[in-house]
Amino acid sequence: MKKTFLYVLAVIAAALCLTSCQKEEPTFDEALLIGKWQEVGTQVFYTYASDYTGKTWDEADDVTEAEAQPFEWSLVQSTLTQIHIMEMGSNVPKTYTVTQLTSSKLVYEDDFGKEFSFNKVN
Amino acid sequence: MKKFFKIFGITLGSLVGLVLVVLCIALWLVFTPERLTPIVRSQVEKYVPCPTHIGRVELTFFSSFPRFELQIDQVAALNPQAQAECGDTLVRADRLQAAVDVKAFLQHRELRLSGIRLLDGRVCAYVDGAGRANFDLFPPSPDEPEADDDGGLPFGLIDVSTIELRNIDLSYIDRQSGMEATVRGLCAVADASLRPMDSLTVHLATEPFAVAYADSSLTAEVRGLAPDLSVALQGNRVQAGLHIQPQAVSLAYAGDAYLTDAEVGLDLQAVADLSRLSAQVEQLALSFNGLSLGIQGKASLDTVRGEVHTDLTYRLDLPQVQRLLASVPAAFHEYVDGIEAAGSLTAQGTVQGVYNDSTMPAVTAQVQLDGVSAACPDLLPFPLKQVDGNLAAYVNLQRDDTTFLQIDRLAVRTPQSRIALSGRADRLLSDPHADLTADADLHLPELAPFVPDSMNVTMAGRLKARVAARASLSQVEQMALEQIKASASLQFKDLAVAYDTLSLKTNDTRITLSLPNPNARTKHTGFAAAGIEADQLDVALGTGMQAALQGLNLDVETSDVRDTTRIPAVNLRLGLGFAQAGMDSMSVQIEQPEVAVSVAPQRRNAGQPRFSVKVGSGKLNADLGTDRVQADLLDVAATVFYNKNQEDIFLRWMPRGAFHLQQGVAHLAALPYPVELPQVKMDFTPRTFEIEQAGVHLGASDFNLAGKLDNILPFFRGDSILRGDFAFTSAHTDIDQLMALTSGLGSEEETAEDDATEAPAAPPAAEETPADTAAYTGPYMVPQGIDLTLHTDIAEASFNQNLITDVDGDVRVANGTLALEELTFTTPGSDIQLTAMYQTPRRNHLFVGLDFHMMKVEIADLLHMIPDLDSIMPMLRSFDGTGEFHLAAETNLDSLYNLKMSTLRGAASIRGEDLKLVDGETFAEIARMLRFKNRQKENQVDSLTAEFTVFRNEIDVYPFLIAIDRYKAVVGGRHNLDMSFDYNISLVESPLPFRASVEVSGNLDDMKFRLARAKYPDFYRPAARYEVKNKQQELRDLIKRSLVANVANKEE
């Protein structure tokens, strides 16, 4: 019994030692996001407007910009949220974590570690 | 006194006796033939410049008292220089007698001759080839002064009471002209008297004799000629009579006999006024082989004006036409060969008026035919029998308006047919105008020879016809049908006509034609009318096609369709008691079909036509071989306004009408059940198409459609959108049966589409090239500019062995969108609401959207109804129980209906209460790793509320809390459309001292489980709830609110 108690204390001690401070979340300037972006290696485009609306289309699927699907976006620190608005009346939210945002480069990843890279095209 | 008479008697007797004695002495002693003959011979030689021969001369008195009669025997005048067939005799007679009334001559200086007789004589006049005549005995002497002729006679009267010729032969031979004429055995008695300048009477009576004439080409002979001539001249008045009994006349010309013993006669009684040059013909009768021509009247000659005035009547009788036909000369027999004629003909009339170089008298004629028959095989294949007629004619060359031909009756019979004609024709000489009526009763086989044999036509039956026409020749030539009046009534009895393989039979058919139409139903259709009535009409083409029509009644009336400047007006009505038609294995039977078609100018636009069509029938049965159609009643009525100025075909034809069908049944080979149409009623106008009722029974299903399609015309004009509002109701719809019935229909098209689907997707850039458009029919494109709504109300529907009830909702096509709007229905497992949308902005960019709500649905039923949901959310298979399911999804498609994955969006929400985990294999592995206390195969789950989204090929399952056993876990993760997944089950409440989780990854065939750090350790933990709510929970709420919003709208 005493031995078992010692084991538990050891585990707690180890756990306490392993506990660290939460990493500080970076902040990106959403002004850099405004514009038209093309996903690297694809014909997928995103545009972000200053009124926090945007649209996306894939020209590989014979979809033009005029036929693009709309979404609303927000960028809080590094969390980019896109709420895609369906014509049937529902919404499809997508959240990403921005890892890089410059005037020409955008990189973010989703909760499952899938990374998306974009280049600004105008 | 007595003494005086005695003395006077003795004296007179003495004187008479003395005279007698003197006469006796003179006759018997002085004027004996022996003394008298030389005296006469010497006197004749003085006055006759040719040699003569006188045999014996005798003078008689007592036998011819009180006249002296001179008798000369064997008298002849000779011309010895002549060389001719006549020899040297010019005139010869056995006896010449003559008597003179001496008393009249002595007392009144009147020469009364009587008893002039020439017996057994011969006169032969001859002209040789040099023109020398044997009768030229008195050559003219130019030095001889003309006699002082004051025109008067030396006697107060010359009276030749009797001149008798007996057995006299006359010959005239002219070798110069080749003419020879002879008279044989002439016996004639003539009486004549002549008073100077004012009176002459002649009467000549003959006994039959023969006359012959011949020249180089013409020969003529008259036998039995016995003319009786009387002429009386009284001043300028001449009365003449000539009677010639019919005798045999023969005439030949150039070797051809024109007359052979023809009976020719003449009877003339006339009075002439020489001063006026006029004649009154009391009777002129000519006869020729039974043909007689009689003329009466007056004719006069106006020498000043050079014209003849006539006022004559005539009559022509031909009692035996065959005799006249037999008189046709042999030279013309070839023209009448085979022609036979009989019967009688009579014609009579007048000739009145003036004849000169420029005018002709007016002629009337009344012709009557009695029992005339004729046969001419070359012209008519049948003989004409019993031709009877009564015709009248009036011809006036100066006034053609008074000229006419009146046919009171003209009837002709053939062996089995009859034709009668009556009427009148005017203006015969300029533009004949006829008003004729014909009645005919024809035996059609008699007319068959008129049809060329090459047509292979056979006919049987009779035709009774009555045809009336009023027209002028110019109208006919110019086809001025608008001015022609005609009517015809034809009745066919037992008609059977066969033309090649086409045959037609009818028992009793009437055909009427009218020009113009006397009973026009409209003001435009007065030009012509026609009608057909038939009790039975059978038509066959070979052995494969046949039609039988009973109670046929067809009426047609029309305007002048030849007038291309105006829209024709035509009305047609066809009614039948029963119609049947068949071709090979197909047949149609229709009871009381009626068709009415009319064409007329539009009231507001006379330059455009308006068509009206009415079609109706009683029971209808059509056997089309493998298919069969039946109906109890069919009525279609339509009025179509045509506008040729419109380019669009719909705008050209503006229909307005109604359609009505009762108890229609279609047995189609492609369907195992008949298609029943109990009632279909609809009205249509250029603006509105309204279906009052359209019911369909098919197998276990029944449908009814009602509603209205509006704004049709403005839509096609581009002025407005097309609006439609229909109600679709059904007591029961067997969807499974309908799908089975329609499966395979149009399989060829489907095969083509399948082939196209399997082919690689065409490049977008090439999708709309003309070549591809021609080769690929493309997807269904929702029409633009229309707004159609179909309100469905299906009481129950069976589908996939499920019974769906209370199906209620709208199907709408509007602005290029096809939508199922809030369609609600109830299944045994759930109440369902469905909204779906299909848009076609362009051919290679289609849109389909779905908004689907299931209330109180069994999870198993949900997966059964939507099998694809198992692929998106495979963990659902692990739950059992009741829940709600809300789904919204949309995507774009290409022209081959392939998903454009980049446009796929979806969101779903599931809410379950009292669920159970039933998937033993998966649950067992999770339970083992998490050391569940209760590892039974069914574990109670208090509640389940989950949301997931679809974005392109990513399906994100938002973290949701489930409570199982002693554990509360948060489940979340991602499922890809390639069926790979990555889930994390984080324990938020458990007996374990640490926040463990299980990660499930891989795919359904190769699942990987491993313990990992809890991914959602703070989710649903009361201490961290606020924080969580600001992130994922907010998104879940957003999804859920948007999904159920439509349900809320429905409830509102």
Side-chain angles (χ1 to χ4, degrees):
Chain A
M1 184 65 184
K2 184 178 181 182
K3 191 175 182 178
T4 302
F5 182 71
L6 291 175
Y7 286 155
V8 172
L9 289 178
V11 170
I12 294 173
L16 292 174
C17 293
L18 293 174
T19 301
S20 62
C21 297
Q22 190 171 12
K23 187 178 180 180
E24 185 177 357
E25 186 175 2
T27 300
F28 295 97
D29 182 5
E30 64 179 22
L32 297 173
L33 196 60
I34 305 304
K36 183 176 180 180
W37 300 85
Q38 180 177 10
E39 186 176 6
V40 176
T42 69
Q43 291 182 279
V44 176
F45 293 88
Y46 281 82
T47 61
Y48 298 88
S50 57
D51 59 356
Y52 301 103
T53 63
K55 53 188 178 183
T56 179
W57 69 96
D58 185 356
E59 293 185 353
D61 268 346
D62 186 28
V63 182
T64 65
E65 183 175 356
E67 298 163 342
Q69 293 168 296
F71 61 84
E72 296 174 350
W73 64 270
S74 64
L75 179 60
V76 179
Q77 294 182 326
S78 62
T79 300
L80 174 63
T81 301
Q82 298 175 350
I83 299 176
H84 296 273
I85 302 169
M86 297 171 60
E87 285 195 39
M88 297 306 294
S90 296
N91 300 315
V92 176
K94 298 291 287 185
T95 58
Y96 304 98
T97 301
V98 177
T99 58
Q100 182 181 355
L101 177 58
T102 66
S103 59
S104 60
K105 186 73 174 180
L106 170 64
V107 180
Y108 57 70
E109 61 182 16
D110 61 13
D111 291 343
F112 300 93
K114 187 176 180 179
E115 187 176 82
F116 302 89
S117 296
F118 299 88
N119 292 323
K120 204 165 191 178
V121 293
N122 64 353
Chain B
M1 189 65 181
K2 185 176 178 181
K3 185 177 181 181
F4 171 76
F5 284 113
K6 183 178 179 181
I7 295 171
F8 179 76
I10 294 171
T11 303
L12 181 60
S14 298
L15 289 175
V16 171
L18 179 62
V19 171
L20 292 175
V21 171
V22 171
L23 287 175
C24 290
I25 293 171
L27 291 176
W28 290 333
L29 296 179
V30 179
F31 297 106
T32 61
E34 289 76 14
R35 294 179 181 271
L36 194 57
T37 299
I39 296 172
V40 172
R41 285 176 180 169
S42 61
Q43 291 298 318
V44 169
E45 288 176 355
K46 290 181 182 178
Y47 294 100
V48 179
C50 66
T52 59
H53 172 78
I54 297 176
R56 182 172 179 269
V57 179
E58 183 178 359
L59 183 65
T60 62
F61 176 76
F62 294 103
S63 59
S64 58
F65 182 82
R67 299 168 300 179
F68 282 99
E69 182 176 286
L70 184 65
Q71 175 179 308
I72 304 174
D73 295 334
Q74 301 299 323
V75 60
L78 305 176
N79 189 348
Q81 295 179 348
Q83 300 294 326
E85 288 82 347
C86 298
D88 60 352
T89 302
L90 177 61
V91 179
R92 182 188 60 81
D94 289 349
R95 175 168 296 176
L96 174 62
Q97 293 178 327
V100 179
D101 188 342
V102 178
K103 183 180 178 182
F105 178 77
L106 294 176
Q107 293 181 350
H108 306 291
R109 289 194 60 82
E110 293 177 350
L111 178 59
R112 295 181 181 272
L113 297 176
S114 62
I116 299 175
R117 303 177 67 194
L118 189 63
L119 304 178
D120 299 326
R122 179 171 182 265
V123 177
C124 183
Y126 177 78
V127 178
D128 63 12
R132 296 187 296 272
N134 65 347
F135 50 85
D136 187 12
L137 302 177
F138 304 95
S141 176
D143 299 333
E144 184 176 351
E146 292 183 357
D148 185 10
D149 188 359
D150 57 1
L153 292 173
F155 310 106
L157 168 68
I158 297 176
D159 182 8
V160 181
S161 60
T162 301
I163 298 176
E164 180 178 359
L165 303 176
R166 182 161 301 280
N167 194 24
I168 303 299
D169 294 338
L170 303 175
S171 297
Y172 176 77
I173 301 171
D174 187 346
R175 295 303 176 195
Q176 188 176 31
S177 61
M179 183 174 68
E180 181 175 341
T182 59
V183 176
R184 303 292 182 189
L186 174 63
C187 297
V189 176
D191 294 325
S193 64
L194 174 63
R195 292 180 185 277
M197 301 304 293
D198 60 354
S199 178
L200 170 66
T201 61
V202 176
H203 178 256
L204 175 63
T206 63
E207 295 181 5
F209 61 94
V211 178
Y213 173 84
D215 59 18
S216 59
S217 56
L218 178 66
T219 61
E221 181 181 8
V222 180
R223 289 184 286 108
L225 179 63
D228 188 332
L229 173 66
S230 61
V231 177
L233 174 63
Q234 186 71 36
N236 292 322
R237 183 174 183 272
V238 178
Q239 182 171 3
L242 175 61
H243 176 71
I244 301 175
Q245 289 288 351
Q247 54 260 299
V249 178
S250 298
L251 181 68
Y253 181 79
D256 296 327
Y258 287 88
L259 294 176
T260 302
D261 293 337
E263 291 184 3
V264 178
L266 174 65
D267 191 2
L268 171 64
Q269 295 293 330
V271 176
D273 188 336
L274 299 179
S275 62
R276 298 180 179 179
L277 296 178
S278 65
Q280 177 71 38
V281 179
E282 297 174 353
Q283 180 181 1
L284 172 59
L286 296 171
S287 64
F288 175 80
N289 280 350
L291 170 67
S292 64
L293 173 63
I295 297 175
Q296 292 179 322
K298 182 179 180 181
S300 61
L301 175 63
D302 187 342
T303 58
V304 177
R305 297 181 179 179
E307 59 189 26
V308 177
H309 296 264
T310 61
D311 185 5
L312 302 172
T313 62
Y314 68 90
R315 178 182 175 89
L316 177 68
D317 289 298
L318 182 59
Q320 292 178 310
V321 177
Q322 61 271 32
R323 289 198 60 191
L324 187 64
L325 187 63
S327 302
V328 174
F332 300 100
H333 276 181
E334 60 178 306
Y335 301 109
V336 296
D337 188 23
I339 296 177
E340 297 177 358
S344 65
L345 182 147
T346 302
Q348 59 184 354
T350 62
V351 178
Q352 293 178 322
V354 177
Y355 169 76
N356 56 27
D357 294 339
S358 58
T359 60
M360 292 288 288
V363 178
T364 66
Q366 184 79 34
V367 180
Q368 184 165 355
L369 302 170
D370 289 316
V372 175
S373 62
C376 181
D378 292 339
L379 297 177
L380 283 176
F382 43 79
L384 300 180
K385 302 170 61 178
Q386 196 64 33
V387 179
D388 298 323
N390 195 350
L391 301 88
Y394 176 77
V395 178
N396 188 339
L397 297 180
Q398 282 66 55
R399 290 191 58 191
D400 187 43
D401 58 332
T402 61
T403 302
F404 69 87
L405 170 63
Q406 176 77 34
I407 303 175
D408 294 330
R409 183 177 64 92
L410 179 60
V412 180
R413 289 180 181 270
T414 69
Q416 299 187 71
S417 299
R418 176 184 61 81
I419 299 175
L421 180 68
S422 62
R424 179 185 174 98
D426 296 295
R427 302 195 303 266
L428 301 176
L429 304 177
S430 56
D431 183 15
H433 179 275
D435 182 358
L436 301 175
T437 300
D439 289 284
D441 183 2
L442 305 177
H443 182 59
L444 294 178
E446 280 190 332
L447 305 179
F450 291 108
V451 181
D453 294 338
S454 59
M455 295 183 67
N456 191 22
V457 173
T458 60
M459 292 187 290
R462 300 197 71 85
L463 167 61
K464 290 185 177 179
R466 180 177 180 83
V467 179
R470 276 191 290 171
S472 64
L473 179 61
S474 61
Q475 291 169 348
V476 174
E477 290 176 343
Q478 299 169 6
M479 288 299 290
L481 299 181
E482 72 281 2
Q483 300 173 7
I484 295 176
K485 294 179 173 58
S487 65
S489 175
L490 312 176
Q491 181 179 15
F492 293 94
K493 285 281 191 180
D494 301 324
L495 176 67
V497 178
Y499 169 59
D500 199 17
T501 59
L502 176 65
S503 65
L504 182 148
K505 292 182 180 178
T506 179
N507 294 330
D508 188 358
T509 295
R510 290 179 174 84
I511 299 175
T512 58
L513 301 170
S514 297
L515 184 74
N517 179 12
N519 302 313
R521 294 194 294 272
T522 67
K523 64 179 181 180
H524 299 293
T525 54
F527 178 71
I532 299 176
E533 292 183 15
D535 63 338
Q536 176 77 36
L537 187 64
D538 298 325
V539 181
L541 180 61
T543 57
M545 188 181 299
Q546 56 82 24
L549 308 177
Q550 295 178 0
L552 169 67
N553 193 334
L554 172 67
D555 290 322
V556 181
E557 58 179 22
T558 179
S559 63
D560 191 352
V561 295
R562 302 169 305 158
D563 187 356
T564 57
T565 62
R566 304 176 64 181
I567 298 299
V570 179
N571 289 333
L572 181 149
R573 291 193 300 187
L574 171 63
L576 289 166
F578 181 75
Q580 178 180 4
M583 184 177 71
D584 297 331
S585 60
M586 295 184 289
S587 65
V588 176
Q589 296 89 32
I590 308 175
E591 292 183 2
Q592 296 180 333
E594 292 183 354
V595 177
V597 179
S598 66
V599 182
Q602 297 175 16
R603 292 178 182 174
R604 297 180 181 177
N605 188 357
Q608 304 289 352
R610 171 175 57 84
F611 301 89
S612 295
V613 180
K614 286 186 179 179
V615 178
S617 76
K619 288 186 177 295
L620 180 149
N621 187 3
D623 190 346
L624 307 178
T626 56
D627 300 329
R628 189 157 50 90
V629 177
Q630 296 172 312
D632 282 357
L633 182 144
L634 173 65
D635 276 324
V636 179
T639 300
V640 182
F641 291 83
Y642 179 77
N643 188 345
K644 64 180 180 182
N645 300 323
Q646 295 290 343
E647 294 183 359
D648 190 291
I649 189 170
F650 181 83
L651 296 179
R652 279 188 184 179
W653 302 92
M654 292 289 184
R656 179 191 300 271
F659 176 86
H660 186 197
L661 174 70
Q662 280 187 349
Q663 301 301 327
V665 180
H667 300 267
L668 305 178
L671 299 176
Y673 306 102
V675 179
E676 300 178 13
L677 305 170
Q679 186 85 267
V680 177
K681 295 181 70 174
M682 57 184 69
D683 299 324
F684 49 90
T685 67
R687 176 176 288 274
T688 304
F689 179 81
E690 183 170 7
I691 300 176
E692 182 178 339
Q693 185 178 7
V696 179
H697 288 175
L698 177 59
S701 304
D702 67 273
F703 318 104
N704 187 64
L705 184 68
K708 185 166 67 174
L709 189 65
D710 215 345
N711 282 355
I712 299 175
L713 182 58
F715 168 73
F716 278 94
R717 284 176 174 167
D719 299 334
S720 175
I721 65 172
L722 183 67
R723 296 187 183 280
D725 192 84
F726 296 93
F728 179 83
T729 59
S730 173
H732 181 82
T733 301
D734 190 337
I735 299 175
D736 294 326
Q737 190 181 64
L738 292 178
M739 293 177 66
L741 291 177
T742 56
S743 177
L745 290 179
S747 57
E748 293 183 2
E749 288 84 355
E750 290 181 357
T751 301
E753 291 178 0
D754 292 344
D755 294 342
T757 305
E758 292 171 0
E767 53 148 346
E768 293 178 355
T769 60
D772 288 346
T773 303
Y776 171 61
T777 57
Y780 168 69
M781 302 297 290
V782 181
Q784 298 284 338
I786 65 174
D787 185 357
L788 303 179
T789 301
L790 180 67
H791 305 285
T792 60
D793 182 7
I794 301 175
E796 60 180 28
S798 54
F799 173 65
N800 201 14
Q801 298 180 343
N802 295 316
L803 186 63
I804 303 171
T805 59
D806 299 329
V807 179
D808 186 11
D810 294 342
V811 178
R812 186 176 184 189
V813 178
N815 298 324
T817 299
L818 170 62
L820 295 178
E821 294 186 343
E822 297 179 358
L823 184 68
T824 63
F825 51 93
T826 301
T827 67
S830 173
D831 293 334
I832 298 175
Q833 175 183 319
L834 172 66
T835 297
M837 185 183 296
Y838 176 71
Q839 294 176 323
T840 54
R842 60 185 173 92
R843 190 179 299 273
N844 198 47
H845 193 66
L846 315 175
F847 172 82
V848 61
L850 188 69
D851 183 53
F852 187 72
H853 304 277
M854 301 181 71
M855 313 302 291
K856 298 178 182 178
V857 61
E858 291 289 338
I859 300 298
D861 292 338
L862 175 62
L863 296 177
H864 180 69
M865 293 182 64
I866 312 175
D868 293 339
L869 193 59
D870 185 39
S871 301
I872 298 172
M873 199 170 180
M875 74 287 292
L876 284 178
R877 289 188 302 171
S878 302
F879 296 102
D880 185 18
T882 303
E884 293 180 20
F885 179 71
H886 306 277
L887 170 66
E890 64 185 33
T891 185
N892 289 105
L893 310 172
D894 65 10
S895 60
L896 301 180
Y897 297 112
N898 295 317
L899 289 179
K900 292 185 175 180
M901 294 305 299
S902 65
T903 64
L904 181 60
R905 308 283 189 270
S909 174
I910 295 176
R911 177 184 298 174
E913 300 289 344
D914 300 329
L915 302 179
K916 294 177 181 178
L917 278 173
V918 296
D919 189 345
E921 183 180 351
T922 305
F923 173 75
E925 182 63 24
I926 295 173
R928 184 188 65 77
M929 298 184 70
L930 295 178
R931 295 180 180 277
F932 282 3
K933 183 178 181 181
N934 183 1
R935 297 180 184 177
Q936 295 177 354
K937 289 189 176 179
E938 290 189 0
N939 291 274
Q940 188 72 29
V941 178
D942 291 338
S943 63
L944 171 65
T945 300
E947 282 77 30
F948 61 91
T949 62
V950 180
F951 182 76
R952 294 177 176 166
N953 59 350
E954 301 168 352
I955 302 174
D956 291 338
V957 180
Y958 282 76
F960 61 91
L961 177 69
I962 60 174
I964 305 174
D965 196 50
R966 297 170 296 170
Y967 299 84
K968 287 185 177 178
V970 176
V971 180
R974 168 166 293 175
H975 198 104
N976 299 308
L977 291 184
D978 61 359
M979 293 298 106
S980 63
F981 47 78
D982 182 7
Y983 288 103
N984 182 273
I985 304 172
S986 298
L987 293 176
V988 295
E989 188 174 329
S990 72
L992 296 178
F994 54 89
R995 300 174 188 173
S997 68
V998 176
E999 288 189 348
V1000 183
S1001 61
N1003 54 50
L1004 294 177
D1005 297 330
D1006 184 18
M1007 282 190 196
K1008 295 181 175 61
F1009 300 88
R1010 69 181 180 89
L1011 285 173
R1013 177 173 170 264
K1015 190 173 183 178
Y1016 313 109
D1018 298 326
F1019 279 50
Y1020 297 96
R1021 288 169 66 89
R1025 192 174 187 86
Y1026 178 76
E1027 185 179 358
V1028 172
K1029 191 175 181 179
N1030 280 343
K1031 299 178 180 177
Q1032 296 287 339
Q1033 193 63 37
E1034 278 186 352
L1035 298 179
R1036 290 189 57 192
D1037 291 343
L1038 176 65
I1039 295 169
K1040 188 175 179 179
R1041 282 198 308 272
S1042 64
L1043 281 173
V1044 301
N1046 291 335
V1047 177
N1049 289 340
K1050 175 73 175 180
E1051 291 171 352
E1052 290 172 358

